[in-house]
Amino acid sequence: MGALGPLAFTPFANVYGRRPAYLVSVLIGFISALGCAKAKTFGTLVLARAFNGFGQSAVFGLGAGTVVDVFFMHERGKAMGIFTLALTSGAHLAPIVGGYVARDFGWRWCFWIGSILNGNPLRNRTGDDVIYAIFSTGMMFIVCLLFMPETIFDRPASELNGTDKELPTAQAARAFDSFALGEPFCPPPMFWKTYLNRLWITDLERPVSRSLEKRDFVLKPFGMLKYPSVTFPAIY
């Protein structure tokens, strides 16, 4: 299920925005972790784990896209390296912590601990675990809801007119040199209206050209196979 998550979340995020995809992923991931902690049978645990892998796998497809949205081209190498290091190191570091947690508190607390880290850590083992986990899940969702704006951006068509693509090669080179030797770029001021628009459930600035099609889920991902860095790991 973890491998199917990016195939579903990425086309959705490319059309409706990264933010709703992340919010849905958080809800699926943490509610399914709650199901894992309260599972009474092995079949229930496997089913909850499947949904857990599906929900939290969105970061594999959306994380790199978010890095591209937020950073300039000359900054993406370092940012992508930090993201990849954090993403791949989790599988190596988590078992170290999880082993001690499972030994001292039981395997169910490997799932409860995720909710505790996203809620109030000052809690005893007594009390209603279900209510607490739901509260903790809600806390993480509220943090994402209030402080994680939409990052996908479509440059207006009016700003695309007169770009370097329409200039002769020599003229484009001179324009680039003058920009490179000029004053540092200063981003425009951020207004509350703009920030609140980026905090909407869906992308309010989505152009009509962005539409969801069936081939985006099935055929379009196979286009990545033309890159050796994707083909060779997939075969391996």
Side-chain angles (χ1 to χ4, degrees), residues 87 130 179 220:
L87 184 66
V130 178
F179 172 77
K220 202 169 184 179

Side-chain angles (χ1 to χ4, degrees), residues 1-7 9 46-47 49-58:
M1 294 292 288
L4 298 178
L7 296 178
F9 283 109
V46 171
L47 181 63
R49 287 289 291 159
F51 280 100
N52 187 260
F54 177 82
Q56 298 186 8
S57 65

Side-chain angles (χ1 to χ4, degrees), residues 87 97 101 170 177 191:
L87 184 66
V97 179
V101 171
D177 292 338
F191 298 101

Side-chain angles (χ1 to χ4, degrees), residues 127-193:
D128 194 336
D129 290 339
V130 178
I131 295 177
Y132 175 77
I134 293 176
F135 173 75
S136 301
T137 302
M139 288 294 293
M140 182 61 187
F141 181 77
I142 291 174
V143 169
C144 295
L145 188 66
L146 297 180
F147 301 105
M148 188 180 66
E150 179 60 56
T151 60
I152 195 171
F153 175 75
D154 295 278
R155 188 175 298 278
S158 58
E159 296 185 9
L160 294 176
N161 296 329
T163 57
D164 292 346
K165 294 182 179 180
E166 300 177 358
L167 297 175
T169 304
Q171 185 178 357
R174 289 194 299 269
F176 178 80
D177 292 338
S178 62
F179 172 77
L181 298 176
E183 297 181 357
F185 172 76
C186 296
M190 173 65 73
F191 298 101
W192 274 108
K193 182 179 179 181

